Amino acid sequence: MSAYRDQHFLIDPKAVDRIINSTEVCGRTVLEIGPGKGVLTQALLCAGAVVTAVEIDESLLGYLTEHFSDEIDGGRLKLVLGDAARCALPATDLIVANLPYSVSSKILFRVLRMDFSEAVLMFQKEFADRMVARIGSKECGRLSVMVQTYACVQKCFELPPSSFSPPPQVRSAVVKVIPRDPLFPIANKEIYASVVRTLFSHRRKTVRNALKSARGELGDDKVQNAFSRIIPEILDSRAEELYLEDFATISNLVS
Ligand code: SAM
């Protein structure tokens, strides 16, 4: 099956160089997600990386197999047909991807559960801005908190629609993601994710009222326990006024 029609392929050689130059590539083991017609694959190989590329589209995989036969025979490139949101992914050092924006979130959260040292990923600009938004600011949301809990993120640069063919309707941005352990202990990662979701899905409510609305999900006794132990300054704040430590404190008290 071909997913081809919705794809915006990178065509600007300067943009390709900027992506490759955002990090050290030579000698590294790279997982590329969604190689498409191989423009980044080619640049990664030229820069001295050993690449495994996972592509969901069979027709593109056929094209890549033909185009890169020498690199495949030489062991510098391995092509895998699969959905990177679900298939087994190899252990890797660096992850590089320019994905369709419709699967950004799914793939990003998959990537964050993997063992790797660095990722250079392209997103729609607005998505990238939300990823890097300062925690405790109006721009910050669930995505910012969940990503920054598990990684350091840095927006490297933006690209205009003209860097792609066909041009998308939006600007794009490249973000560097470096995983790290949470800065504050998290007793239960699932409850943490659910508390962050609850607080931002009621972002106009105070923490006190947002937690009250989620008593069914989080457990009445646990929410009562949290109310008796969380300081009033936090209970009276809204999600966008909290720091990472506050999200950890709240979730640990309802875990
Ligand atoms: N990296 C190429 C480039 O920069 O020109 C292609 C970019 S195109 C926006 C996205 C690519 O990701 C397409 O080749 C598409 O088939 C592939 N893709 C989409 N969803 C995928 C998934 N779930 N797993 C693996 N590849 C996927």
Side-chain angles (χ1 to χ4, degrees):
M1 199 200 49
S2 179
Y4 215 89
R5 277 163 290 132
D6 298 331
Q7 309 308 335
H8 302 280
F9 296 99
L10 203 49
I11 50 162
D12 175 359
K14 285 199 186 120
V16 173
D17 285 350
R18 288 182 82 187
I19 294 172
I20 300 300
N21 292 333
S22 326
T23 185
E24 180 60 51
V25 166
C26 187
R28 290 182 89 173
T29 307
V30 179
L31 169 66
E32 187 188 359
I33 303 176
K37 295 177 186 168
V39 65
L40 285 171
T41 323
Q42 175 80 59
L44 287 165
L45 291 166
C46 285
V50 175
V51 181
T52 297
V54 179
E55 172 57 58
I56 199 170
D57 187 311
E58 231 172 295
S59 61
L60 286 170
L61 201 89
Y63 170 86
L64 292 166
T65 306
E66 218 168 282
H67 191 77
F68 288 104
S69 57
D70 287 351
E71 288 78 3
I72 295 168
D73 290 346
R76 293 185 300 282
L77 173 64
K78 183 176 173 198
L79 294 174
V80 176
L81 178 65
D83 176 350
R86 299 137 76 102
C87 68
L89 294 173
T92 194
D93 176 22
L94 173 65
I95 301 176
V96 174
N98 164 26
L99 282 165
Y101 298 142
S102 54
V103 292
S104 295
S105 191
K106 223 175 4 168
I107 303 275
L108 174 64
F109 284 101
R110 174 88 202 269
V111 161
L112 284 174
R113 288 196 299 276
M114 291 174 60
D115 195 9
F116 67 102
S117 40
E118 192 179 9
V120 176
L121 308 172
M122 174 115 63
F123 299 102
Q124 182 173 333
K125 176 197 174 304
E126 288 73 14
F127 187 91
D129 286 342
R130 280 192 285 127
M131 277 176 74
V132 303
R134 188 172 58 78
I135 309 299
S137 73
K138 283 232 174 316
E139 293 71 35
C140 151
R142 178 182 164 214
L143 176 68
S144 337
V145 171
M146 290 309 295
V147 170
Q148 291 179 46
T149 296
Y150 298 108
C152 294
V153 282
Q154 181 201 341
K155 187 168 151 188
C156 302
F157 55 88
E158 290 184 13
L159 288 174
S162 58
S163 299
F164 304 87
S165 173
Q169 302 214 315
V170 292
R171 285 181 72 80
S172 304
V174 170
V175 179
K176 193 185 279 195
V177 177
I178 299 180
R180 64 154 184 229
D181 288 334
L183 296 175
F184 306 98
I186 293 173
N188 181 318
K189 289 183 176 174
E190 276 174 32
I191 293 181
Y192 181 81
S194 138
V195 163
V196 173
R197 187 182 58 242
T198 295
L199 296 179
F200 280 104
S201 58
H202 302 282
R203 65 184 298 150
R204 284 171 204 278
K205 290 187 180 173
T206 59
V207 169
R208 188 190 313 277
N209 289 336
L211 289 178
K212 268 188 202 161
S213 322
R215 271 187 300 212
E217 187 188 341
L218 299 171
D220 206 11
D221 50 336
K222 298 213 164 137
V223 169
Q224 281 310 328
N225 173 46
F227 282 172
S228 63
R229 299 182 55 192
I230 299 173
I231 56 169
E233 282 78 358
I234 295 183
L235 285 176
D236 293 333
S237 299
R238 291 177 175 74
E240 64 195 31
E241 297 165 332
L242 300 176
Y243 297 104
L244 283 181
E245 183 176 13
D246 303 327
F247 290 102
T249 303
I250 297 166
S251 92
N252 290 344
L253 287 172
V254 296
S255 288

